[in-house]
Amino acid sequence: VCALAVTCVALFGARAQADGSAVPAPTDEQQVIATEDEWVKAEIHRDAATLERVLDDRFLLNSSKGPPRDKASVIADTLGWNMVSQTITDRTVLVDGDTAIVFGTANFRFAVEGKDDDVSSARYTTVYIRRDGRWRALGLQMTALSAGPPAASDPAGSKDGEEAAVL
C-alpha cells in the first residue's frame, strides 16, 4: 500500500509539472503580504503567540509619541485593544534579497463601550527581514491620518490616534 501511494504521488507530481498545473511557490512579495496579514489578524484577535512570531526580537515602533517602542511594549498594548477591524489599502511591497519594505495605509475600527466605534487611519512603512526562511517585522513607522482610541499605555487618551494601532 505504501509503495502504491509513493508511486501515485510520484506520477501525479510528474504529471502536474508536465502539464503546467503545479502550483508555483509564492513570491517573496506574496510571502511578505501573508506575514503582514497574519499580523493584522493577530492584532484583531489579540493573539500574543502570533505577534511573538511575526515581530522580530529587535522590533521597534517609531512614531511622534516619543522614543521608539520595543516588541514587548507593542504586544502589551495590542493585547489591551478592542479592535473590531483593520483593513490595509494602498499597499506597495519592495523586496531586495532578505529585506522588504511595505508602504501602505491602515484603517482601524475600535469598539468603545457605550459609544460609537472609533475609526482611525495611518500611513505606515514596515521593514521586514527574512531569517531562517521566515519574514519578520523589524521596524514600523506610523503617521496618523485621523483620530482614534488611546493606546493601552495611554489611559488619558491619544489626541491623534497614532499609537492606537500598531499596523
Side-chain angles (χ1 to χ4, degrees), residues 4 14 21 25 31-32 45 47 49 54 56 78 84 86 92 98 109 120 125 143 153 156 160:
L4 179 59
S21 63
Q31 291 175 25
V32 170
H45 298 291
D47 180 351
V54 170
D56 189 78
T78 303
V84 175
Q86 180 179 164
T92 301
D98 290 335
R109 180 173 298 278
S120 62
T125 302
T143 303
S153 64
D160 61 9

Side-chain angles (χ1 to χ4, degrees), residues 5 7 27-28 34 39 57 63 73-74 87-88 91 98 105 112 118 120 133 135 138 141 143-144 149 160 167:
T7 303
T27 65
D28 288 339
W39 185 359
D57 288 341
S63 73
S73 68
V74 167
T87 57
I88 304 295
R91 183 161 44 188
D98 290 335
T105 300
V112 180
D118 278 328
S120 62
W135 289 100
L138 181 63
Q141 168 69 44
T143 303
D160 61 9
L167 177 66

